[in-house]
Amino acid sequence: HIHFEADEAFYVLDGSETFILNDVHHTFEKGGTIFIPKNSWHGFANPDRLLLLLWIVAPTGLEKFFRETCNPPGVPPKQLTHEQVNQIARKYGTEYR
């Protein structure tokens, strides 16, 4: 996905995996930092382990996307199509491939 208005960063508290930034794969591990400047396509490459990340985004507002698309623990997941997710994402300056 891509954010048009926000820079994003992760600090890796636990786990390791591969991160994709503008179609380039980068490995990371516990203690690492991932920085994603706005207007950069990015995502995780099929993590098969639990990752514990500290998420930082600036400016604020992107968290509203997650409030609209996700549920709290114990609540069944929302059944949204790819287009429905993208429609919500666009309200917050984000787009999914």
Side-chain angles (χ1 to χ4, degrees):
H1 63 278
I2 190 170
H3 306 292
F4 300 110
E5 302 167 5
D7 293 324
E8 190 174 23
F10 295 101
Y11 176 72
V12 184
L13 297 167
D14 198 14
S16 62
E17 195 54 65
T18 301
F19 185 77
I20 305 167
L21 180 62
N22 293 321
D23 294 323
V24 177
H25 289 67
H26 304 272
T27 58
F28 65 87
E29 58 187 32
K30 181 178 179 177
T33 302
I34 302 165
F35 177 72
I36 307 109
K38 66 182 173 183
N39 296 311
S40 300
W41 286 100
H42 61 282
F44 294 93
N46 299 319
D48 57 2
R49 295 176 280 264
L50 181 66
L51 297 173
L52 183 57
L53 305 168
L54 173 64
W55 179 52
I56 304 160
V57 64
T60 62
L62 187 56
E63 70 282 356
K64 295 174 188 172
F65 163 77
F66 294 102
R67 288 193 185 111
E68 283 196 51
T69 58
C70 301
N71 290 339
V75 176
K78 295 177 182 177
Q79 301 298 314
L80 300 171
T81 66
H82 181 76
E83 184 49 42
Q84 288 171 316
V85 170
N86 245 336
Q87 185 176 14
I88 296 166
R90 287 183 197 110
K91 293 190 320 188
Y92 303 107
T94 297
E95 185 176 309
Y96 285 82
R97 287 185 180 173

mmCIF file of all heavy atoms in Angstrom, residues 9 18 20 23 38 43 61 77 82 92 97:
data_model
loop_
_atom_site.group_PDB
_atom_site.id
_atom_site.type_symbol
_atom_site.label_atom_id
_atom_site.label_comp_id
_atom_site.label_asym_id
_atom_site.label_seq_id
_atom_site.Cartn_x
_atom_site.Cartn_y
_atom_site.Cartn_z
ATOM 1 N N ALA A 9 6.830 4.835 10.324
ATOM 2 C CA ALA A 9 8.017 4.136 10.812
ATOM 3 C C ALA A 9 7.593 3.025 11.753
ATOM 4 O O ALA A 9 6.540 3.108 12.402
ATOM 5 C CB ALA A 9 8.962 5.105 11.522
ATOM 6 N N THR A 18 10.664 -10.007 6.255
ATOM 7 C CA THR A 18 11.064 -9.226 5.096
ATOM 8 C C THR A 18 10.065 -8.100 4.887
ATOM 9 O O THR A 18 8.856 -8.307 4.971
ATOM 10 C CB THR A 18 11.122 -10.107 3.833
ATOM 11 O OG1 THR A 18 12.060 -11.155 4.053
ATOM 12 C CG2 THR A 18 11.540 -9.306 2.620
ATOM 13 N N ILE A 20 8.987 -4.874 2.241
ATOM 14 C CA ILE A 20 9.125 -4.430 0.852
ATOM 15 C C ILE A 20 8.912 -2.924 0.799
ATOM 16 O O ILE A 20 7.886 -2.425 1.275
ATOM 17 C CB ILE A 20 8.102 -5.136 -0.056
ATOM 18 C CG1 ILE A 20 8.238 -6.650 0.080
ATOM 19 C CG2 ILE A 20 8.288 -4.695 -1.507
ATOM 20 C CD1 ILE A 20 7.078 -7.414 -0.519
ATOM 21 N N ASP A 23 9.155 -2.025 -4.036
ATOM 22 C CA ASP A 23 9.479 -3.284 -4.715
ATOM 23 C C ASP A 23 10.868 -3.832 -4.402
ATOM 24 O O ASP A 23 11.329 -4.772 -5.052
ATOM 25 C CB ASP A 23 9.294 -3.160 -6.234
ATOM 26 C CG ASP A 23 7.837 -2.935 -6.617
ATOM 27 O OD1 ASP A 23 6.949 -3.522 -5.955
ATOM 28 O OD2 ASP A 23 7.584 -2.173 -7.554
ATOM 29 N N LYS A 38 6.431 9.151 2.858
ATOM 30 C CA LYS A 38 5.165 9.215 2.128
ATOM 31 C C LYS A 38 5.423 9.019 0.637
ATOM 32 O O LYS A 38 6.530 9.245 0.148
ATOM 33 C CB LYS A 38 4.431 10.525 2.406
ATOM 34 C CG LYS A 38 5.117 11.766 1.904
ATOM 35 C CD LYS A 38 4.305 12.988 2.305
ATOM 36 C CE LYS A 38 5.072 14.256 1.966
ATOM 37 N NZ LYS A 38 4.356 15.435 2.407
ATOM 38 N N GLY A 43 5.090 -2.766 2.302
ATOM 39 C CA GLY A 43 4.333 -3.817 2.966
ATOM 40 C C GLY A 43 5.261 -4.905 3.480
ATOM 41 O O GLY A 43 6.461 -4.899 3.216
ATOM 42 N N GLY A 61 -3.869 10.717 11.965
ATOM 43 C CA GLY A 61 -5.093 10.570 11.187
ATOM 44 C C GLY A 61 -5.246 9.198 10.561
ATOM 45 O O GLY A 61 -6.353 8.714 10.393
ATOM 46 N N PRO A 77 -14.006 -10.603 12.496
ATOM 47 C CA PRO A 77 -13.506 -9.605 11.545
ATOM 48 C C PRO A 77 -14.596 -9.113 10.602
ATOM 49 O O PRO A 77 -15.531 -9.842 10.271
ATOM 50 C CB PRO A 77 -12.413 -10.348 10.781
ATOM 51 C CG PRO A 77 -12.655 -11.785 11.023
ATOM 52 C CD PRO A 77 -13.409 -11.909 12.304
ATOM 53 N N HIS A 82 -11.936 -5.910 -1.303
ATOM 54 C CA HIS A 82 -10.753 -5.095 -1.581
ATOM 55 C C HIS A 82 -11.164 -3.668 -1.945
ATOM 56 O O HIS A 82 -10.557 -2.700 -1.472
ATOM 57 C CB HIS A 82 -9.937 -5.727 -2.716
ATOM 58 C CG HIS A 82 -8.704 -4.979 -3.067
ATOM 59 N ND1 HIS A 82 -7.560 -5.013 -2.287
ATOM 60 C CD2 HIS A 82 -8.417 -4.155 -4.104
ATOM 61 C CE1 HIS A 82 -6.639 -4.249 -2.834
ATOM 62 N NE2 HIS A 82 -7.122 -3.718 -3.938
ATOM 63 N N TYR A 92 -8.291 8.467 3.912
ATOM 64 C CA TYR A 92 -7.168 8.755 4.796
ATOM 65 C C TYR A 92 -5.852 8.809 4.036
ATOM 66 O O TYR A 92 -4.780 8.573 4.596
ATOM 67 C CB TYR A 92 -7.121 7.715 5.921
ATOM 68 C CG TYR A 92 -8.423 7.690 6.686
ATOM 69 C CD1 TYR A 92 -9.317 6.648 6.535
ATOM 70 C CD2 TYR A 92 -8.782 8.757 7.496
ATOM 71 C CE1 TYR A 92 -10.538 6.655 7.202
ATOM 72 C CE2 TYR A 92 -9.998 8.775 8.161
ATOM 73 C CZ TYR A 92 -10.861 7.722 8.009
ATOM 74 O OH TYR A 92 -12.069 7.733 8.666
ATOM 75 N N ARG A 97 -2.859 -1.816 -3.538
ATOM 76 C CA ARG A 97 -2.765 -2.374 -4.887
ATOM 77 C C ARG A 97 -3.811 -3.436 -5.070
ATOM 78 O O ARG A 97 -4.275 -4.066 -4.218
ATOM 79 C CB ARG A 97 -1.391 -2.988 -5.138
ATOM 80 C CG ARG A 97 -0.321 -1.954 -5.317
ATOM 81 C CD ARG A 97 0.986 -2.621 -5.685
ATOM 82 N NE ARG A 97 2.003 -1.584 -5.846
ATOM 83 C CZ ARG A 97 3.253 -1.826 -6.038
ATOM 84 N NH1 ARG A 97 3.703 -3.048 -6.110
ATOM 85 N NH2 ARG A 97 4.124 -0.859 -6.179
#
